[in-house]
Amino acid sequence: MSASIDTVRTDTTNREADAPDQRKLDVSELDPDRVADYARETDAMLYFERKGGRTYLVAR
């Protein structure tokens, strides 16, 4: 995914990949505008994570 997506909400206090309260969504193949729209519509704390060449939207 190649984009300049604004991270709408960010929480940097817990970025552990194995944290049980996290949910990851692979957004590598999605349109950046669609991902940004989704992020704006949720009240979850979100951040993006790159792993293994894939982009994930992580919600807590």
Side-chain angles (χ1 to χ4, degrees):
M1 181 171 144
S2 170
S4 59
I5 296 176
D6 293 324
T7 302
V8 178
R9 297 168 197 240
T10 308
D11 180 13
T12 58
T13 59
N14 183 1
R15 288 194 166 200
E16 295 179 30
D18 298 327
D21 60 343
Q22 291 182 343
R23 291 185 171 60
K24 290 184 181 183
L25 176 64
D26 185 350
V27 296
S28 301
E29 305 296 323
L30 297 178
D31 176 53
D33 290 330
R34 183 174 174 198
V35 176
D37 287 344
Y38 173 78
R40 286 184 187 96
E41 291 177 9
T42 185
D43 61 351
M45 301 302 281
L46 304 173
Y47 66 90
F48 290 97
E49 178 178 290
R50 291 281 295 169
K51 190 172 188 179
R54 308 294 292 175
T55 302
Y56 297 91
L57 182 63
V58 182
R60 290 186 1 123

